[in-house]
Coordinates of all heavy atoms in Angstrom, one line a residue:
G635 N 119.1 164.2 148.2 CA 120.1 164.0 149.3 C 119.4 163.8 150.7 O 119.8 162.9 151.4
L636 N 118.4 164.7 150.9 CA 117.7 164.6 152.2 C 116.9 163.3 152.3 O 116.9 162.7 153.3 CB 116.8 165.8 152.2 CG 117.5 167.2 152.6 CD1 116.3 168.3 152.5 CD2 118.2 167.1 153.9
V637 N 116.3 162.9 151.2 CA 115.5 161.6 151.2 C 116.5 160.4 151.6 O 116.3 159.5 152.4 CB 114.8 161.4 149.9 CG1 114.2 160.0 149.8 CG2 113.6 162.3 149.8
L638 N 117.6 160.4 150.8 CA 118.7 159.3 151.0 C 119.3 159.3 152.4 O 119.4 158.3 153.0 CB 119.7 159.4 149.9 CG 119.3 159.1 148.5 CD1 120.4 159.3 147.5 CD2 118.8 157.7 148.4
A639 N 119.5 160.5 152.9 CA 120.1 160.7 154.3 C 119.0 160.2 155.3 O 119.4 159.6 156.2 CB 120.5 162.2 154.5
G640 N 117.7 160.5 155.1 CA 116.8 160.0 156.0 C 116.7 158.5 156.0 O 116.6 157.9 157.1
L641 N 116.7 157.9 154.8 CA 116.6 156.4 154.7 C 117.9 155.8 155.4 O 117.7 154.7 155.9 CB 116.5 156.0 153.2 CG 115.1 156.4 152.5 CD1 115.3 156.0 151.1 CD2 113.9 155.8 153.3
A642 N 118.9 156.4 155.3 CA 120.2 155.8 155.8 C 120.3 156.1 157.3 O 120.8 155.2 158.0 CB 121.4 156.4 155.1
L643 N 119.8 157.3 157.8 CA 120.0 157.5 159.2 C 118.8 156.9 160.0 O 118.9 156.8 161.3 CB 119.9 159.0 159.4 CG 121.1 159.7 158.9 CD1 120.9 161.2 159.1 CD2 122.4 159.3 159.7
A644 N 117.6 156.5 159.3 CA 116.5 156.0 160.2 C 117.0 154.8 161.0 O 116.7 154.8 162.2 CB 115.4 155.7 159.3
P645 N 117.6 153.8 160.4 CA 117.9 152.6 161.3 C 119.0 153.0 162.3 O 119.0 152.4 163.4 CB 118.5 151.6 160.3 CG 118.9 152.4 159.0 CD 117.8 153.5 159.0
L646 N 119.9 154.0 162.0 CA 120.9 154.3 162.9 C 120.3 155.0 164.1 O 120.7 154.9 165.3 CB 121.9 155.2 162.2 CG 122.8 154.5 161.1 CD1 123.7 155.5 160.5 CD2 123.5 153.3 161.7
L647 N 119.3 155.9 163.9 CA 118.6 156.5 164.9 C 117.8 155.6 165.8 O 117.8 155.7 167.0 CB 117.7 157.6 164.3 CG 118.3 158.8 163.7 CD1 117.3 159.7 163.0 CD2 119.2 159.6 164.7
W648 N 117.4 154.5 165.2 CA 116.6 153.5 166.0 C 117.6 152.8 166.9 O 117.3 152.5 168.1 CB 115.9 152.5 165.0 CG 115.1 151.5 165.8 CD1 113.8 151.5 166.3 CD2 115.6 150.2 166.1 NE1 113.5 150.4 167.0 CE2 114.6 149.5 166.8 CE3 116.7 149.5 166.0 CZ2 114.7 148.2 167.4 CZ3 116.9 148.2 166.4 CH2 115.9 147.6 167.1
L649 N 118.8 152.5 166.4 CA 119.8 151.8 167.2 C 120.3 152.7 168.2 O 120.6 152.3 169.4 CB 121.0 151.4 166.3 CG 120.8 150.1 165.4 CD1 121.8 149.9 164.5 CD2 120.3 148.9 166.2
L650 N 120.4 154.0 167.9 CA 120.8 154.9 169.0 C 119.8 155.0 170.1 O 120.1 155.1 171.3 CB 121.0 156.4 168.4 CG 121.3 157.5 169.3 CD1 122.6 157.1 169.9 CD2 121.4 158.8 168.6
G651 N 118.5 154.9 169.7 CA 117.4 154.9 170.8 C 117.5 153.7 171.7 O 117.4 153.8 172.9
A652 N 117.8 152.5 171.0 CA 117.9 151.4 171.7 C 119.1 151.4 172.7 O 119.1 150.8 173.8 CB 118.0 150.1 170.8
S653 N 120.2 152.1 172.2 CA 121.5 152.2 173.0 C 121.1 153.1 174.2 O 121.6 152.8 175.4 CB 122.6 152.7 172.1 OG 122.9 151.9 171.1
V654 N 120.5 154.2 174.1 CA 120.2 155.1 175.1 C 119.3 154.5 176.2 O 119.5 154.7 177.3 CB 119.6 156.5 174.5 CG1 119.2 157.3 175.7 CG2 120.6 157.1 173.7
S655 N 118.3 153.7 175.7 CA 117.4 153.1 176.7 C 118.1 152.1 177.6 O 117.6 151.9 178.7 CB 116.2 152.4 175.9 OG 116.8 151.4 175.1
G656 N 119.2 151.5 177.1 CA 120.0 150.5 177.9 C 121.3 151.1 178.0 O 122.4 150.3 178.0
A657 N 121.5 152.3 178.3 CA 122.8 153.0 178.3 C 123.6 152.4 179.5 O 124.9 152.2 179.3 CB 122.6 154.5 178.5
G658 N 123.0 152.0 180.6 CA 123.8 151.4 181.7 C 124.7 150.2 181.3 O 125.8 150.1 181.6
S659 N 124.0 149.4 180.5 CA 124.7 148.1 180.1 C 125.4 148.2 178.8 O 126.3 147.5 178.4 CB 123.8 146.9 180.2 OG 122.7 147.1 179.3
T660 N 124.8 149.1 177.9 CA 125.2 149.2 176.5 C 126.6 149.7 176.3 O 127.5 149.1 175.8 CB 124.2 150.0 175.6 OG1 123.0 149.3 175.7 CG2 124.7 150.0 174.3
F661 N 126.8 151.0 176.8 CA 128.1 151.6 176.7 C 129.1 151.1 177.6 O 130.3 151.6 177.5 CB 127.9 153.1 176.8 CG 127.0 153.8 175.7 CD1 125.7 154.1 175.9 CD2 127.6 153.9 174.4 CE1 124.9 154.5 174.8 CE2 126.8 154.4 173.4 CZ 125.5 154.7 173.6
R662 N 128.7 150.3 178.6 CA 129.7 149.7 179.5 C 130.6 148.8 178.7 O 131.8 148.5 179.1 CB 129.1 149.0 180.6 CG 129.9 148.6 181.7 CD 129.1 147.8 182.8 NE 128.1 148.6 183.3 CZ 126.9 148.1 183.7 NH1 126.6 146.9 183.4 NH2 125.9 148.9 184.1
L663 N 130.3 148.3 177.6 CA 131.1 147.5 176.7 C 132.3 148.3 176.3 O 133.4 147.6 176.3 CB 130.3 147.1 175.5 CG 129.2 146.0 175.6 CD1 128.4 145.9 174.4 CD2 129.8 144.7 176.1
L664 N 132.2 149.5 176.0 CA 133.4 150.2 175.6 C 134.4 150.5 176.7 O 135.5 150.9 176.5 CB 133.0 151.6 175.0 CG 132.1 151.5 173.8 CD1 131.6 152.8 173.3 CD2 132.7 150.6 172.7
A665 N 134.0 150.2 178.0 CA 135.0 150.3 179.1 C 135.8 149.1 179.3 O 136.8 149.1 180.0 CB 134.2 150.7 180.4
A666 N 135.4 148.0 178.6 CA 136.2 146.8 178.8 C 137.3 146.7 177.7 O 137.4 147.5 176.8 CB 135.2 145.5 178.5
A667 N 138.3 145.9 178.0 CA 139.5 145.9 177.2 C 139.4 145.1 175.9 O 139.9 145.3 174.9 CB 140.7 145.4 178.0
R668 N 138.5 144.1 176.1 CA 138.3 143.1 174.9 C 137.9 143.7 173.5 O 138.5 143.5 172.5 CB 137.4 142.0 175.3 CG 137.3 141.0 174.1 CD 136.6 139.7 174.6 NE 136.4 138.8 173.5 CZ 137.3 137.9 173.0 NH1 138.5 138.1 173.3 NH2 137.0 137.2 171.9
P669 N 136.8 144.6 173.6 CA 136.5 145.3 172.3 C 137.6 146.0 171.7 O 137.8 146.0 170.4 CB 135.3 146.2 172.5 CG 134.7 145.5 173.8 CD 135.9 145.0 174.7
W670 N 138.5 146.8 172.5 CA 139.5 147.4 172.0 C 140.7 146.6 171.5 O 141.3 146.9 170.4 CB 140.0 148.5 173.0 CG 139.0 149.4 173.4 CD1 138.2 149.5 174.6 CD2 138.6 150.6 172.7 NE1 137.3 150.6 174.5 CE2 137.5 151.3 173.4 CE3 138.9 151.2 171.4 CZ2 136.9 152.4 173.0 CZ3 138.3 152.4 171.0 CH2 137.3 153.0 171.8
A671 N 140.8 145.5 172.2 CA 141.9 144.5 171.7 C 141.4 143.9 170.4 O 142.3 143.7 169.4 CB 142.0 143.4 172.7
L672 N 140.2 143.6 170.1 CA 139.7 143.1 168.9 C 139.8 144.1 167.8 O 140.2 143.8 166.6 CB 138.3 142.6 169.1 CG 138.0 141.3 169.9 CD1 136.5 141.1 170.0 CD2 138.7 140.1 169.2
L673 N 139.4 145.3 168.1 CA 139.6 146.4 167.1 C 141.0 146.6 166.7 O 141.2 146.7 165.5 CB 139.1 147.7 167.7 CG 139.1 148.9 166.7 CD1 138.4 148.7 165.4 CD2 138.5 150.1 167.5
L674 N 141.9 146.5 167.6 CA 143.3 146.8 167.3 C 143.8 145.5 166.4 O 144.6 145.7 165.4 CB 144.3 146.8 168.6 CG 145.7 146.9 168.4 CD1 146.1 148.1 167.6 CD2 146.4 146.8 169.7
R675 N 143.3 144.4 166.8 CA 143.8 143.2 166.0 C 143.3 143.3 164.6 O 143.8 143.0 163.6 CB 143.2 141.9 166.6 CG 143.5 140.6 165.8 CD 142.9 139.4 166.4 NE 143.5 139.1 167.8 CZ 143.1 138.2 168.5 NH1 142.0 137.4 168.3 NH2 143.7 137.9 169.8

C-alpha cells in the first residue's frame, strides 16, 4: 500500500509544488466565477 500510495502521490506532489511556486496566478483561478460555473454545469 505504501508503494502504491507513493507512486500515486508522486505526480500530485509535483503538481502541488508547481502550484505553490506560482501561487499568485495559480490559485487566483478559483476566485473567478467561470470555473465554478463550469463545475456547476
